[in-house]
Protein backbone atom coordinates (compact mmCIF):
# COMPACT_ATOMS: atom_id res chain seq x y z
CA UNK A 1 0.00 0.00 0.00
CA UNK A 2 1.38 3.38 -1.03
CA UNK A 3 1.25 6.10 1.62
CA UNK A 4 1.06 9.68 0.31
CA UNK A 5 2.03 12.63 2.44
CA UNK A 6 -1.10 14.64 3.36
CA UNK A 7 0.42 17.88 2.10
CA UNK A 8 0.76 16.48 -1.41
CA UNK A 9 -3.02 16.39 -1.78
CA UNK A 10 -2.99 20.18 -1.67
CA UNK A 11 -1.20 20.21 -5.02
CA UNK A 12 -3.17 17.51 -6.80
CA UNK A 13 -5.92 18.99 -9.00
CA UNK A 14 -8.82 17.12 -10.58
CA UNK A 15 -8.25 16.39 -14.29
CA UNK A 16 -11.23 18.44 -15.57
CA UNK A 17 -9.98 21.48 -13.67
CA UNK A 18 -6.46 21.03 -15.05
CA UNK A 19 -7.78 20.86 -18.61
CA UNK A 20 -9.84 23.96 -18.02
CA UNK A 21 -6.79 25.85 -16.80
CA UNK A 22 -4.68 24.72 -19.75
CA UNK A 23 -7.34 25.62 -22.29
CA UNK A 24 -8.41 28.97 -20.89
CA UNK A 25 -5.56 31.09 -22.29
CA UNK A 26 -6.04 29.70 -25.80
CA UNK A 27 -9.79 30.22 -25.74
CA UNK A 28 -9.41 33.71 -24.37
CA UNK A 29 -6.89 34.53 -27.08
CA UNK A 30 -9.04 33.15 -29.89
CA UNK A 31 -11.91 35.33 -28.76
CA UNK A 32 -9.59 38.35 -29.09
CA UNK A 33 -8.62 37.73 -32.72
CA UNK A 34 -10.17 40.51 -34.83
CA UNK A 35 -12.84 39.23 -37.19
CA UNK A 36 -10.88 40.31 -40.27
CA UNK A 37 -7.68 38.53 -39.18
CA UNK A 38 -6.38 34.95 -38.93
CA UNK A 39 -4.14 33.48 -36.22
CA UNK A 40 -1.02 31.74 -37.57
CA UNK A 41 0.51 29.47 -34.89
CA UNK A 42 4.22 29.34 -34.14
CA UNK A 43 6.12 26.62 -36.01
CA UNK A 44 8.72 25.93 -38.64
CA UNK A 45 7.79 25.93 -42.30
CA UNK A 46 9.51 25.35 -45.63
CA UNK A 47 10.46 28.71 -47.16
CA UNK A 48 11.72 29.12 -50.69
CA UNK A 49 11.98 26.53 -53.44
CA UNK A 50 14.26 23.69 -54.49
CA UNK A 51 15.88 23.86 -57.91
CA UNK A 52 12.86 22.28 -59.57
CA UNK A 53 12.88 23.92 -62.98
CA UNK A 54 10.11 26.38 -62.06
CA UNK A 55 11.78 28.42 -59.32
CA UNK A 56 13.99 31.45 -59.76
CA UNK A 57 17.47 31.88 -58.27
CA UNK A 58 16.25 34.33 -55.63
CA UNK A 59 13.95 31.67 -54.10
CA UNK A 60 16.85 29.38 -53.25
CA UNK A 61 18.00 27.66 -51.18
CA UNK A 62 14.85 26.25 -49.66
CA UNK A 63 15.17 26.01 -45.89
CA UNK A 64 13.24 25.44 -42.69
CA UNK A 65 12.39 28.73 -40.99
CA UNK A 66 10.84 29.18 -37.54
CA UNK A 67 8.26 31.90 -36.94
CA UNK A 68 6.49 32.83 -33.71
CA UNK A 69 2.72 33.23 -33.74
CA UNK A 70 1.24 36.22 -35.51
CA UNK A 71 -2.01 37.57 -36.94
CA UNK A 72 -2.60 38.46 -40.58
CA UNK A 73 -5.53 39.86 -42.52
CA UNK A 74 -7.81 37.28 -44.10
CA UNK A 75 -8.28 39.47 -47.16
CA UNK A 76 -6.32 42.10 -49.03
CA UNK A 77 -7.19 45.60 -47.88
CA UNK A 78 -10.15 46.78 -49.96
CA UNK A 79 -11.05 50.19 -51.28
CA UNK A 80 -13.91 50.27 -48.77
CA UNK A 81 -11.53 49.63 -45.85
CA UNK A 82 -9.00 52.13 -47.17
CA UNK A 83 -11.43 55.06 -47.41
CA UNK A 84 -11.88 55.66 -43.63
CA UNK A 85 -8.09 55.94 -43.38
CA UNK A 86 -8.08 58.69 -46.01
CA UNK A 87 -11.04 60.44 -44.39
CA UNK A 88 -9.41 60.38 -40.95
CA UNK A 89 -5.89 61.37 -41.94
CA UNK A 90 -6.10 63.36 -45.16
CA UNK A 91 -3.60 60.94 -46.70
CA UNK A 92 -3.39 61.25 -50.52
CA UNK A 93 -5.75 58.95 -52.41
CA UNK A 94 -4.41 56.05 -54.54
CA UNK A 95 -3.09 57.34 -57.83
CA UNK A 96 -1.32 56.29 -61.01
CA UNK A 97 0.90 58.23 -63.39
CA UNK A 98 -1.45 57.29 -66.24
CA UNK A 99 -4.94 58.74 -65.89
CA UNK A 100 -6.64 55.68 -67.43
CA UNK A 101 -5.36 53.49 -64.58
CA UNK A 102 -6.60 55.75 -61.79
CA UNK A 103 -9.44 54.23 -59.76
CA UNK A 104 -10.02 56.96 -57.15
CA UNK A 105 -11.47 60.41 -57.73
CA UNK A 106 -12.25 63.14 -55.19
CA UNK A 107 -11.60 60.81 -52.25
CA UNK A 108 -13.81 57.96 -53.48
CA UNK A 109 -13.12 54.70 -55.31
CA UNK A 110 -14.64 54.11 -58.73
CA UNK A 111 -18.27 52.95 -58.25
CA UNK A 112 -18.53 49.18 -58.03
CA UNK A 113 -14.92 48.68 -56.92
CA UNK A 114 -15.48 49.10 -53.19
CA UNK A 115 -14.77 45.43 -52.39
CA UNK A 116 -11.83 45.15 -54.77
CA UNK A 117 -8.31 45.29 -53.32
CA UNK A 118 -6.94 48.80 -53.14
CA UNK A 119 -4.15 49.19 -55.71
CA UNK A 120 -2.07 52.13 -56.98
CA UNK A 121 -0.63 52.44 -53.47
CA UNK A 122 3.06 52.76 -52.62
CA UNK A 123 4.91 50.83 -49.95
CA UNK A 124 4.80 53.99 -47.84
CA UNK A 125 1.02 54.22 -48.28
CA UNK A 126 0.67 50.61 -47.13
CA UNK A 127 2.85 51.22 -44.07
CA UNK A 128 0.84 54.32 -43.15
CA UNK A 129 -2.49 52.47 -43.40
CA UNK A 130 -1.29 49.51 -41.33
CA UNK A 131 0.09 51.81 -38.63
CA UNK A 132 -3.16 53.80 -38.56
CA UNK A 133 -5.10 50.56 -38.05
CA UNK A 134 -2.82 49.38 -35.22
CA UNK A 135 -1.06 46.82 -37.39
CA UNK A 136 2.02 46.50 -39.60
CA UNK A 137 3.05 44.95 -42.88
CA UNK A 138 3.89 41.23 -42.67
CA UNK A 139 7.47 40.14 -43.12
CA UNK A 140 8.24 38.21 -46.27
CA UNK A 141 8.55 35.02 -44.20
CA UNK A 142 5.21 35.60 -42.46
CA UNK A 143 3.53 36.22 -45.79
CA UNK A 144 4.90 33.01 -47.31
CA UNK A 145 3.96 30.84 -44.34
CA UNK A 146 0.42 32.25 -44.35
CA UNK A 147 0.20 31.53 -48.08
CA UNK A 148 1.47 27.93 -48.19
CA UNK A 149 1.39 26.49 -44.67
CA UNK A 150 4.17 24.28 -43.37
CA UNK A 151 4.46 21.60 -46.04
CA UNK A 152 6.18 23.51 -48.85
CA UNK A 153 3.26 23.31 -51.26
CA UNK A 154 3.65 25.21 -54.52
CA UNK A 155 0.33 27.08 -54.40
CA UNK A 156 -1.98 28.05 -51.54
CA UNK A 157 -4.36 25.20 -52.40
CA UNK A 158 -1.79 22.48 -53.14
CA UNK A 159 0.81 21.46 -55.69
CA UNK A 160 -1.23 21.32 -58.88
CA UNK A 161 -1.60 24.37 -61.12
CA UNK A 162 -5.27 25.34 -61.61
CA UNK A 163 -5.89 28.72 -63.24
CA UNK A 164 -9.53 28.73 -62.13
CA UNK A 165 -8.46 29.21 -58.49
CA UNK A 166 -7.04 32.74 -58.70
CA UNK A 167 -7.30 36.01 -60.59
CA UNK A 168 -4.41 36.07 -63.05
CA UNK A 169 -3.67 36.44 -66.75
CA UNK A 170 -4.41 32.73 -67.16
CA UNK A 171 -7.83 33.06 -65.54
CA UNK A 172 -8.88 35.80 -67.95
CA UNK A 173 -7.47 34.01 -70.99
CA UNK A 174 -9.02 30.67 -70.01
CA UNK A 175 -5.69 28.93 -70.58
CA UNK A 176 -2.26 28.82 -69.00
CA UNK A 177 -0.32 31.97 -69.82
CA UNK A 178 3.46 32.29 -69.59
CA UNK A 179 5.61 35.18 -70.79
CA UNK A 180 9.15 34.40 -71.91
CA UNK A 181 10.05 38.10 -71.92
CA UNK A 182 8.69 41.62 -71.98
CA UNK A 183 7.87 41.34 -75.67
CA UNK A 184 5.40 38.52 -74.99
CA UNK A 185 3.94 40.44 -72.02
CA UNK A 186 3.34 43.46 -74.27
CA UNK A 187 1.87 41.30 -77.02
CA UNK A 188 -0.72 39.95 -74.57
CA UNK A 189 -1.58 43.00 -72.46
CA UNK A 190 -1.10 45.83 -74.94
CA UNK A 191 -2.20 44.43 -78.28
CA UNK A 192 -3.50 40.90 -77.69
CA UNK A 193 -6.15 38.97 -75.76
CA UNK A 194 -5.31 40.66 -72.47
CA UNK A 195 -5.87 44.12 -73.93
CA UNK A 196 -9.20 43.08 -75.41
CA UNK A 197 -10.39 41.47 -72.17
CA UNK A 198 -9.37 44.41 -69.99
CA UNK A 199 -11.13 46.86 -72.30
CA UNK A 200 -14.28 44.71 -72.23
CA UNK A 201 -14.36 43.71 -68.55
CA UNK A 202 -11.89 45.81 -66.59
CA UNK A 203 -12.62 48.71 -64.23
CA UNK A 204 -12.62 51.80 -66.45
CA UNK A 205 -11.72 49.44 -69.28
CA UNK A 206 -8.29 48.76 -67.84
CA UNK A 207 -7.92 47.13 -64.40
CA UNK A 208 -9.02 43.51 -63.89
CA UNK A 209 -9.06 43.21 -60.10
CA UNK A 210 -12.03 41.35 -58.62
CA UNK A 211 -13.80 41.53 -55.23
CA UNK A 212 -11.63 39.96 -52.52
CA UNK A 213 -12.52 36.36 -51.72
CA UNK A 214 -13.87 35.63 -55.20
CA UNK A 215 -11.94 32.34 -55.31
CA UNK A 216 -12.70 30.45 -52.07
CA UNK A 217 -11.35 27.22 -53.55
CA UNK A 218 -7.96 28.94 -53.80
CA UNK A 219 -7.70 29.73 -50.08
CA UNK A 220 -4.49 28.98 -48.18
CA UNK A 221 -4.24 26.24 -45.50
CA UNK A 222 -5.01 28.90 -42.86
CA UNK A 223 -8.04 30.25 -44.71
CA UNK A 224 -6.51 33.36 -46.28
CA UNK A 225 -7.88 34.49 -49.63
CA UNK A 226 -6.14 35.84 -52.74
CA UNK A 227 -2.65 34.83 -51.63
CA UNK A 228 -2.18 34.01 -55.31
CA UNK A 229 -3.41 36.58 -57.80
CA UNK A 230 -5.79 39.54 -57.72
CA UNK A 231 -3.32 42.09 -56.30
CA UNK A 232 0.34 41.51 -55.58
CA UNK A 233 1.17 42.58 -52.03
CA UNK A 234 3.80 44.77 -50.43
CA UNK A 235 5.60 43.20 -47.46
CA UNK A 236 7.97 44.66 -44.90
CA UNK A 237 11.31 43.41 -46.26
CA UNK A 238 13.86 45.02 -48.49
CA UNK A 239 14.61 42.94 -51.57
CA UNK A 240 18.03 41.44 -52.19
CA UNK A 241 18.28 38.66 -54.81
CA UNK A 242 20.54 36.36 -52.80
CA UNK A 243 19.43 37.17 -49.26
CA UNK A 244 18.30 33.56 -48.65
CA UNK A 245 21.91 32.38 -48.70
CA UNK A 246 22.64 33.84 -45.26
CA UNK A 247 19.21 34.78 -43.88
CA UNK A 248 18.43 33.83 -40.26
CA UNK A 249 16.46 30.64 -39.76
CA UNK A 250 14.38 32.14 -36.94
CA UNK A 251 11.95 35.02 -37.55
CA UNK A 252 13.91 36.66 -40.40
CA UNK A 253 13.22 40.38 -40.85
CA UNK A 254 14.84 40.74 -44.25
CA UNK A 255 18.19 42.18 -45.36
CA UNK A 256 19.44 45.73 -44.84
CA UNK A 257 18.52 46.90 -48.31
CA UNK A 258 18.14 50.42 -49.65
CA UNK A 259 16.55 50.32 -53.09
CA UNK A 260 13.72 47.82 -53.57
CA UNK A 261 10.93 46.36 -51.45
CA UNK A 262 9.59 42.80 -51.77
CA UNK A 263 6.21 42.24 -53.44
CA UNK A 264 4.48 38.88 -53.05
CA UNK A 265 1.59 36.84 -54.42
CA UNK A 266 1.37 37.74 -58.10
CA UNK A 267 -1.50 39.78 -59.55
CA UNK A 268 -4.15 39.80 -62.24
CA UNK A 269 -1.37 40.78 -64.67
CA UNK A 270 0.96 37.88 -63.92
CA UNK A 271 1.73 34.62 -65.78
CA UNK A 272 1.48 31.20 -64.17
CA UNK A 273 5.08 30.99 -62.96
CA UNK A 274 4.65 34.11 -60.82
CA UNK A 275 1.62 32.71 -58.98
CA UNK A 276 3.65 30.18 -56.96
CA UNK A 277 3.69 30.87 -53.21
CA UNK A 278 7.49 31.10 -53.15
CA UNK A 279 7.79 33.57 -56.04
CA UNK A 280 9.48 36.88 -55.18
CA UNK A 281 8.84 40.16 -56.94
CA UNK A 282 9.92 43.69 -56.05
CA UNK A 283 9.30 47.38 -56.62
CA UNK A 284 10.57 50.78 -55.64
CA UNK A 285 8.91 51.89 -52.39
CA UNK A 286 7.34 54.89 -54.12
CA UNK A 287 5.84 52.82 -56.98
CA UNK A 288 2.07 52.97 -57.39
CA UNK A 289 1.10 50.14 -59.73
CA UNK A 290 -2.32 48.92 -60.81
CA UNK A 291 -1.41 45.40 -59.76
CA UNK A 292 -0.01 46.04 -56.26
CA UNK A 293 -1.96 46.26 -52.99
CA UNK A 294 -1.32 44.85 -49.51
CA UNK A 295 -2.66 43.23 -46.35
CA UNK A 296 -1.62 43.87 -42.74
CA UNK A 297 -0.27 41.72 -39.93
CA UNK A 298 -0.04 42.07 -36.17
CA UNK A 299 1.96 40.65 -33.26
CA UNK A 300 0.09 38.48 -30.76
CA UNK A 301 1.91 39.71 -27.66
Amino acid sequence: MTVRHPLLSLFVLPLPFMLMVVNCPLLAFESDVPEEMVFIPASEFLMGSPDDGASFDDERPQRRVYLPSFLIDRHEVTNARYKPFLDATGHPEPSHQKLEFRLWFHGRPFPGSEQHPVVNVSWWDAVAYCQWSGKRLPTEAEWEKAARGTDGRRYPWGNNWEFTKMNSASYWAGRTIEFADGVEWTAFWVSGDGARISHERGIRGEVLTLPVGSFPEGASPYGLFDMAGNASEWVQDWYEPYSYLNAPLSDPQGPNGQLLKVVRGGSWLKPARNLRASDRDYGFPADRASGIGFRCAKDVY
Side-chain angles (χ1 to χ4, degrees):
M1 177 178 176
T2 301
V3 179
R4 185 171 58 187
H5 194 285
L7 288 178
L8 291 179
S9 62
L10 296 177
F11 301 99
V12 177
L13 300 176
L15 181 59
F17 182 80
M18 293 176 65
L19 292 175
M20 181 179 69
V21 171
V22 169
N23 288 330
C24 273
L26 178 60
L27 294 173
F29 173 75
E30 288 178 346
S31 68
D32 292 337
V33 176
E35 183 179 358
E36 77 277 8
M37 304 193 83
V38 173
F39 172 68
I40 310 296
S43 72
E44 290 186 339
F45 78 107
L46 280 173
M47 185 174 184
S49 291
D51 190 357
D52 58 4
S55 63
F56 295 99
D57 289 347
D58 65 355
E59 302 169 37
R60 302 192 289 267
Q62 188 179 63
R63 62 216 194 282
R64 285 198 169 275
V65 173
Y66 172 82
L67 290 179
S69 303
F70 63 97
L71 302 175
I72 188 167
D73 286 346
R74 189 182 309 275
H75 296 287
E76 295 163 328
V77 174
T78 63
N79 288 312
R81 286 174 56 196
Y82 199 71
K83 187 178 186 304
F85 161 64
L86 301 188
D87 294 342
T89 65
H91 194 87
E93 69 186 19
S95 186
H96 195 282
Q97 61 183 355
K98 293 184 178 180
L99 180 61
E100 59 268 30
F101 289 101
R102 293 184 183 178
L103 304 177
W104 282 70
F105 299 93
H106 309 296
R108 294 181 178 276
F110 191 77
S113 70
E114 291 82 2
Q115 297 306 318
H116 289 230
V118 63
V119 293
N120 295 338
V121 288
S122 70
W123 183 87
W124 299 108
D125 295 330
V127 168
Y129 172 88
C130 289
Q131 290 179 345
W132 173 79
S133 62
K135 304 174 185 177
R136 58 172 174 78
L137 284 177
T139 65
E140 183 173 20
E142 287 174 337
W143 191 97
E144 186 168 325
K145 181 181 178 182
R148 72 194 307 194
T150 60
D151 59 7
R153 62 184 59 190
R154 182 171 285 189
Y155 306 102
W157 57 85
N159 288 315
N160 296 322
W161 165 250
E162 298 181 60
F163 63 74
T164 59
K165 291 188 174 182
M166 85 244 98
N167 179 9
S168 69
S170 300
Y171 168 77
W172 292 106
R175 65 183 190 279
T176 297
I177 296 293
E178 294 286 14
F179 303 131
D181 50 35
V183 173
E184 291 189 5
W185 188 95
T186 299
F188 182 83
W189 283 117
V190 177
S191 58
D193 287 346
R196 174 184 56 79
I197 294 167
S198 61
H199 292 330
E200 292 175 353
R201 304 181 64 180
I203 304 171
R204 302 192 68 223
E206 293 290 351
V207 179
L208 287 166
T209 55
L210 289 171
V212 298
S214 292
F215 299 87
E217 66 278 11
S220 82
Y222 298 109
L224 276 71
F225 297 91
D226 299 309
M227 296 298 276
N230 214 11
S232 299
E233 301 177 19
W234 293 113
V235 296
Q236 171 186 293
D237 303 33
W238 291 100
Y239 175 80
E240 294 290 349
Y242 301 109
S243 60
Y244 284 14
L245 292 172
N246 55 12
L249 298 179
S250 180
D251 198 18
Q253 300 295 303
N256 295 319
Q258 297 180 343
L259 185 64
L260 300 166
K261 285 292 186 178
V262 177
V263 178
R264 284 304 208 107
S267 76
W268 59 272
L269 289 156
K270 294 294 186 176
R273 192 178 183 187
N274 296 124
L275 276 299
R276 295 170 301 107
S278 58
D279 182 69
R280 308 177 71 205
D281 203 350
Y282 49 84
F284 293 104
D287 284 350
R288 290 185 172 93
S290 61
I292 301 180
F294 67 99
R295 74 182 72 213
C296 302
K298 190 173 184 179
D299 298 331
V300 298
Y301 50 86

